[in-house]
Every structure is written in structure tokens, then in C-alpha cells.
Amino acid sequence: MRDCETILQGKKNFQPFTFCSYKNKTGFINRFKKEFQFFKFIKLEKNSVFVMQHPLYIGTHYLKILKVFKKIKKIRIIFLIHDLESLRNMLPAYHNLFQQLDQLMYETGDVFLTHNEKMSAYLIKQGISADKIVVLGLFDYLTVPGKYTGNHSAEKGIVIAGNLDPEKSGYLYQLTEKHFGRQLILYGTNFSQSKMSTANYCYKGVFPPDELPYELQGDYGLVWDGNETQTCAGNMGNYLRYNNPHKVSLYIAAELPVIIWRHAALADFVSANHIGILIDSLDEIDDKLSKIETTEYERMKEHVKALADKVRSGGYLLGAYEEALNILEADIGSRRIW
């Protein structure tokens, strides 16, 4: 979300429009402050273009009020979807709340920036007109201009970056030496060393997101989710069929070819752009990688590098935003508010 803010503020002159979550604060006064802040919508100029990042984890009231001010101010709203929590269903206790959030988004938006064609198809099933949808393609991953990111070691290793919690990445703790001849190189939070079933790994720790692309060492980045090694299972595994994992953008920004589940929504993108390999099971990795010759690997690296500059400079969001503007038939010179 921070990268999206930076791109639109820095390159499209958007002005920030922020809310406070008042997280962990109780009492009538704090509740009043939280609800009253939403009336900042009154500051919006008429006919503004308003980009809302979705979801915001602050309840549903802000969307209900936004619907009212949309009519009053005649603003046009672009929803930039980061997650569809009603689809991901990771927190069953809040499922009804997330359904309300997503439904309010559908009712309020003029244009929707989705991750990929699979997510677009899902939105169409929810009643969104296809001509209101723009496919993002990839999330951008901003890096320092001119700073070299391809600092990978000569040692062969498979990078796994992200939330390494056993509840989210259970597959990781089922891996044994039979799955990989290469070392696993791990980066991220909530790693549980005591639960690892293989000794063939190296945990590198946690790095700030804007530093991580310069730290990755290995020759491939793995995109997998769920608790199984044979397939991407469970809620997180199923969600891969619809979303664009941010780690794909991270790997591309770091110029690493990608290994991804064949049924993931981004598998088509990886295949079409020749930036990695598709697998059905983690058991296939060693065999598939052993058949890739050096020249083929170098070609994959070149294809990744060709995408990396666009990812690192905000090119995907900028392109999608211009498409959204065309749909809105907006006046490009009008004031734009984040």
C-alpha cells in the first residue's frame, strides 16, 4: 500500500487522504473520534478522482459515508484491490464483516483495479460489469533507482520470502531432503526453527521491505501456500487461484526466476513471460530444475530483468491508472485526491 501511495503521489500528483484506525483504543471519546474523522470526505472537491485502497481494516462505516459523499460531491471512485478478505476467508469469525466490506466496495466503486483475469472473473460473478474492471497485472515493488538488486550468490538455493508462520506456510515445515537437493534460503517473520523437518536450509532473518530485494540470495524464488507439499491447499492455497502474491513482485524486483504452483492465478503470467517454471507438487522441483540447462536459465533471467525495471518504477500501477482514467473519461487536469 505504501508503494501505491508513493507512485500516485509522486508521479500523478495525488494528495493523501488518510484515516486513523484508533487500534486498541476504547471508550466513547475514541469511538467518537474514529467515526467523526470520516466526515473529512466533506473536504473533497466536486468531480475529484478518488482512489481507495481496499480493504481498510477499520470497519464499514467509512464506506457507508463515502457512498453519501460520492453523490453529494459527484466524485469518481477507483478501488485498488489489495485483498478480497471475503474470498480469502482467513478469519472466519470476521467473515460477515469482510463480506459487508467487499459488498460496499462493489456498490460504491466506478472502476476496480483487480490483480489478474481470474480475480476479474470473480468480480464479474459478484455482479460487477466487465467494462468497469482494469487488470493490474502485477503489484509494483519500488526500489532505489540505480541500485543493483541482482546480488545473488553463486550457490544454488531456493528463496522463500514472506510470513513463515506454521499456520500460514505449513508446507515449509513438512519439507524434507527428499523434496530438494538445493538449500532453502528463508527470509521473513514468524519462523519456527523447532518445527523444521529438514536441515537443508538457511534462515537469513527479517529485513525491511525496501531493503529485502538487495538481500535475496539464491537462483529461484518459490511461490507456494497452504499446509501441503503435494498441492496448494486450504484457504490460503485456494486464494492463490485469484490473487497476485506480493512476493512474486519481490522476486522480479530482485531479478530471480519464479517457481509457482501451476493453478495459481499468476501461473499464466509466469509462463507467458518465460520467467520461471510451473509445478503441481513440490516433489517435482528437483527433477524439473535438473533439466534446465544454463543457457535456458540465463534466458529466464533476461526475461525477469526485462520486467524488473517496470516493477521497480511503478509501471504496472501507472498503466492501470491511465486505463481507469479512460474508463471514467476524467479530465486529466482535474485535482486528484488519494
Side-chain angles (χ1 to χ4, degrees):
M1 284 189 169
R2 187 175 65 188
D3 277 357
C4 294
E5 292 173 11
T6 299
I7 293 163
L8 291 178
Q9 288 183 59
K11 298 192 176 183
K12 290 297 177 183
N13 299 317
F14 271 69
Q15 298 177 40
F17 198 91
T18 58
F19 301 109
C20 298
S21 66
Y22 291 93
K23 188 177 181 181
N24 299 325
K25 292 185 178 181
T26 59
F28 174 78
I29 292 177
N30 284 319
R31 181 178 176 83
F32 175 79
K33 287 180 179 178
K34 177 180 177 179
E35 299 300 328
F36 187 76
Q37 71 173 328
F38 301 140
F39 286 91
K40 290 192 295 185
F41 287 127
I42 202 169
K43 296 180 181 179
L44 291 174
E45 291 188 2
K46 283 190 174 182
N47 302 312
S48 294
V49 176
F50 189 90
V51 176
M52 174 70 78
Q53 303 207 66
H54 181 84
L56 298 181
Y57 299 98
I58 54 175
T60 60
H61 203 182
Y62 72 98
L63 281 175
K64 294 174 182 177
I65 295 176
L66 177 60
K67 282 183 70 176
V68 173
F69 279 102
K70 177 184 178 181
K71 293 180 180 179
I72 296 172
K73 296 284 189 174
K74 301 186 186 304
I75 60 176
R76 292 147 296 176
I77 302 173
I78 300 170
F79 274 97
L80 171 53
I81 299 173
H82 287 273
D83 277 305
L84 292 173
E85 292 291 2
S86 62
L87 177 61
R88 180 157 65 169
N89 199 26
M90 280 299 294
L91 298 169
Y94 296 95
H95 185 66
N96 288 339
L97 172 62
F98 292 141
Q99 279 190 317
Q100 291 179 50
L101 274 172
D102 287 351
Q103 184 59 41
L104 282 167
M105 174 188 66
Y106 301 149
E107 295 170 2
T108 309
D110 295 296
V111 180
F112 303 86
L113 304 189
T114 69
H115 295 195
N116 51 63
E117 296 290 354
K118 302 291 176 61
M119 182 176 283
S120 296
Y122 175 81
L123 259 66
I124 290 169
K125 287 183 179 179
Q126 309 312 306
I128 304 300
S129 173
D131 59 10
K132 291 185 174 183
I133 295 173
V134 174
V135 172
L136 186 63
L138 278 181
F139 281 103
D140 298 301
Y141 201 113
L142 300 185
T143 60
V144 178
K147 188 171 181 179
Y148 177 64
T149 55
N151 56 341
H152 316 305
S153 65
E155 181 181 357
K156 292 182 178 180
I158 296 174
V159 173
I160 301 176
N163 184 351
L164 305 178
D165 190 303
E167 292 297 316
K168 180 183 184 297
S169 303
Y171 73 91
L172 174 62
Y173 301 92
Q174 296 185 37
L175 296 174
T176 64
E177 279 72 8
K178 75 172 185 176
H179 294 100
F180 295 106
R182 301 178 189 223
Q183 187 178 51
L184 298 175
I185 307 174
L186 310 177
Y187 301 81
T189 58
N190 303 314
F191 176 61
S192 178
Q193 182 176 351
S194 64
K195 294 186 177 182
M196 288 296 289
S197 300
T198 178
N200 192 22
Y201 74 90
C202 176
Y203 177 57
K204 295 289 188 177
V206 180
F207 294 89
D210 53 353
E211 295 179 15
L212 188 55
Y214 312 112
E215 300 295 336
L216 299 187
Q217 297 180 24
D219 54 354
Y220 290 92
L222 177 65
V223 182
W224 197 263
D225 241 323
N227 294 320
E228 299 182 19
T229 61
Q230 295 300 310
T231 188
C232 288
N235 289 338
M236 290 306 300
N238 183 64
Y239 193 51
L240 267 184
R241 297 178 184 270
Y242 299 95
N243 83 313
N244 288 3
H246 200 226
K247 68 178 67 180
V248 175
S249 302
L250 165 65
Y251 297 149
I252 292 173
E255 299 180 17
L256 279 177
V258 175
I259 302 171
I260 191 169
W261 185 42
R262 184 179 302 279
H263 303 288
L266 274 180
D268 291 342
F269 183 92
V270 171
S271 179
N273 288 280
H274 309 289
I275 59 170
I277 64 170
L278 313 184
I279 57 171
D280 288 300
S281 163
L282 295 179
D283 291 340
E284 299 175 6
I285 291 181
D286 266 358
D287 181 57
K288 288 211 169 192
L289 295 189
S290 68
K291 295 176 181 176
I292 295 176
E293 298 181 355
T294 301
T295 53
E296 184 180 353
Y297 177 75
E298 291 302 323
R299 278 197 297 271
M300 278 193 285
K301 289 268 290 182
E302 287 300 315
H303 288 133
V304 174
K305 191 172 182 178
L307 298 179
D309 286 342
K310 186 175 180 179
V311 167
R312 294 189 295 231
S313 62
Y316 282 94
L317 178 55
L318 291 172
Y321 170 69
E322 291 299 333
E323 263 192 78
L325 271 188
N326 289 336
I327 292 173
L328 293 174
E329 297 181 346
D331 178 2
I332 294 178
S334 67
R335 185 181 180 193
R336 296 160 191 148
I337 299 181
W338 180 266

